[in-house]
Amino acid sequence: MIEIKMPKLGESVTEGTLSRWLKQVGEPVHRYEPIAEIITDKVTAELPAEAEGILMRHLVQEGETVAAGTPVALMETFTSGVSRASGSGAGAGSGPAKVPQAAGPESARSRDGRSGVAGASGSGLRGRYSPAVRKLAREYNVRLEGIPGTGAGGRVTRRDVLAWLEGATMQSAPRPAGASQGILTGETARAEQTPDDVEVIEASPIRRAIARHMVESVHAAPHAWTMVEADVTGLVRLRDRIKEDFRRREGIPLTFMPFFLKAVAESLREFPILNSSWADDRIIMKKRIHLSVAVATEDALFVPVIRDADRLSITGLAHALHDLATRARQGRLKTQDMEGGTFTVNNTGAFGSVLSKPILNGGQAAILSVEAIVKRPVVMPGDMLAIRSMVNLCLSLDHRVLDGWISGRFLQSVKRRLEAYREDGGI
């Protein structure tokens, strides 16, 4: 019998969430065959079997987060005594290997003969139901064994419990003390709140990982925020002029983001203190510029890294960005794609935002949000009004490392580089 453990998917990754079991108890498994999906705040990966054999037990539930190195499953290998289905290594009269069956909780019915209503604190619940489901069962005094499950392998989900409650008669539930006097206690509020009043959405494992990552960042670093606006009329006209030729020549679209990445990378060379982090009362200066770029999918936000971004041209940055964004949306990012970022650029303007206050990416001193490019009247030299394409550049910073003076100079450098583009220029 061997243990399969939660892997360490990266230097800074200390835990993982078991998103989904791909192999069930009793199923044969080939060596290196994936048995589960693992999610961290950086990447989604498959957990391979270390040997050939039979999966004997799940030690971790779907949706549960555990530290790297924690056993998640037990597996009987063929070399440790379990026969292959083909009979090799066993006598002619040997039958198939027997797999122990997990003992489930004892089924029961309520006093009125209807399965479902009873105490929800059976010892079998801990191994069969998620904490969120058990909590809901306790709140509504429901026995989960009587509820059909629609989750993976017939697992009961919160949605199953709420659907069951919606069709059940709740009159038999005891009314909390104080309700007859019109006193609304916490227990009374829960009893009188029906499933029709709320909609409960289960957070996906990756959403929970993102939540933990964001909370840790806010608590670890004193965030400060500043902003400048830039006139990118010349850049807009330049891109409009060359974008069709660029697509024909390079096979990918030319967005505004490579121009912003180029300006940021060059400005980080000018002000390297922003390409740093705080650790143990010291400032760690990063000599290479690896830009983390936020990429949104339907249910998550990934931040893959463009390495040595300051060495790439606009065209090179466009290809690197297109590759990472495509693989992120297809779920094909690797662990190494997410590691080593030194500064983050976030394109919040893609969905129309004109002002935002981003949260720092862990281990970095600053993050820049590029907002939507908006046409509006601007006072030009000589007090003349003109319609210009303007963009807000919003910088969140770790105030342990950076102050407003150096952050403002960095933003002015980014602004100056963006405003230098002209319609008749090149890339």
Side-chain angles (χ1 to χ4, degrees):
M1 190 83 70
I2 64 170
E3 293 179 340
I4 299 178
K5 298 180 180 181
M6 175 65 69
K8 184 176 176 63
L9 299 174
E11 297 179 2
S12 62
V13 179
T14 60
E15 62 183 15
T17 299
L18 198 148
S19 172
R20 180 166 64 103
W21 283 109
L22 303 176
K23 286 289 184 179
Q24 301 305 316
V25 171
E27 290 186 349
V29 180
H30 297 290
R31 190 177 186 185
Y32 303 131
E33 184 178 10
I35 66 169
E37 287 183 353
I38 304 297
I39 291 178
T40 73
D41 58 353
K42 293 182 177 292
V43 73
T44 300
E46 292 179 336
L47 175 63
E50 300 173 5
E52 186 176 4
I54 293 178
L55 191 63
M56 301 297 287
R57 187 179 176 190
H58 293 162
L59 302 179
V60 172
Q61 299 181 49
E62 291 181 349
E64 188 174 349
T65 301
V66 296
T70 301
V72 299
L74 294 179
M75 182 176 170
E76 189 78 49
T77 64
F78 288 130
T79 57
S80 60
V82 178
S83 301
R84 287 180 172 85
S86 63
S88 62
S94 299
K98 293 183 179 180
V99 178
Q101 299 297 316
E106 184 176 311
S107 60
R109 292 184 176 272
S110 63
R111 295 178 182 175
D112 64 356
R114 176 172 55 84
S115 67
V117 178
S121 58
S123 60
L125 292 180
R126 183 174 299 277
R128 294 172 59 89
Y129 307 108
S130 70
V133 169
R134 293 199 302 270
K135 181 176 182 292
L136 188 64
R138 287 194 299 269
E139 289 181 357
Y140 285 100
N141 197 31
V142 170
R143 184 178 293 281
L144 295 169
E145 293 91 324
I147 299 176
T150 62
R155 185 178 300 278
V156 176
T157 66
R158 284 184 63 103
R159 191 177 299 276
D160 295 331
V161 178
L162 293 172
W164 186 91
L165 286 169
E166 188 172 357
T169 303
M170 301 298 292
Q171 294 178 350
S172 59
R175 191 168 181 81
S180 59
Q181 289 80 27
I183 302 173
L184 189 64
T185 64
E187 291 298 323
T188 308
R190 281 196 295 272
E192 295 201 348
Q193 176 177 287
T194 68
D196 291 334
D197 296 330
V198 298
E199 178 184 2
V200 179
I201 300 174
E202 286 284 353
S204 66
I206 197 164
R207 174 51 55 188
R208 293 197 294 271
I210 291 172
R212 289 194 303 272
H213 187 63
M214 293 296 97
V215 170
E216 290 170 2
S217 176
V218 169
H219 283 288
H223 283 55
W225 180 86
T226 186
M227 184 200 82
V228 300
E229 61 177 5
D231 184 343
V232 291
T233 305
L235 170 58
V236 171
R237 292 173 179 171
L238 170 63
R239 174 183 170 270
D240 286 345
R241 181 177 63 83
I242 65 174
K243 64 181 181 180
E244 293 304 324
D245 180 65
F246 185 91
R247 181 189 289 273
R248 287 192 297 270
R249 186 178 71 249
E250 302 297 332
I252 60 173
L254 178 62
T255 68
F256 287 110
M257 197 62 174
F259 295 92
F260 288 103
L261 294 176
K262 185 66 172 175
V264 167
E266 291 178 346
S267 297
L268 287 173
R269 280 196 307 211
E270 185 179 354
F271 298 97
I273 188 63
L274 277 94
N275 199 52
S276 65
S277 62
W278 180 272
D280 300 325
D281 292 332
R282 295 177 299 169
I283 296 174
I284 310 299
M285 297 280 289
K286 315 293 177 61
K287 295 183 178 180
R288 296 171 66 183
I289 297 173
H290 302 324
L291 292 184
S292 302
V293 184
V295 178
T297 64
E298 289 295 328
D299 59 353
L301 180 69
F302 296 96
V303 193
V305 177
I306 299 176
R307 304 188 183 282
D308 296 311
D310 56 320
R311 300 180 185 178
L312 298 177
S313 63
I314 296 293
T315 301
L317 288 167
H319 277 284
L321 181 62
H322 183 265
D323 172 64
L324 290 174
T326 299
R327 289 195 286 123
R329 294 178 180 120
Q330 294 175 350
R332 296 190 295 111
L333 285 175
K334 300 177 181 179
T335 303
Q336 53 265 36
D337 293 325
M338 312 291 288
E339 294 182 334
T342 59
F343 185 99
T344 297
V345 181
N346 188 16
N347 184 21
T348 46
F351 49 84
S353 170
V354 295
L355 198 65
S356 63
K357 185 179 178 182
I359 295 175
L360 291 170
N361 199 1
Q364 298 179 11
I367 176 174
L368 179 74
S369 279
V370 179
E371 305 298 326
I373 298 175
V374 179
K375 284 188 175 183
R376 57 183 179 82
V378 175
V379 178
M380 302 295 289
D383 292 339
M384 299 292 292
L385 282 177
I387 303 299
R388 307 292 289 179
S389 294
M390 305 297 293
V391 63
N392 292 328
L393 306 173
C394 303
L395 185 76
S396 288
L397 54 118
D398 185 341
H399 224 326
R400 297 171 299 181
V401 179
L402 304 171
D403 296 317
W405 178 75
I406 194 69
S407 301
R409 292 180 65 198
F410 168 78
L411 283 178
Q412 287 296 325
S413 176
V414 176
K415 169 187 170 78
R416 184 178 67 253
R417 297 174 192 280
L418 292 173
E419 291 183 343
Y421 285 103
R422 295 291 182 265
E423 180 179 1
D424 56 355
I427 58 174

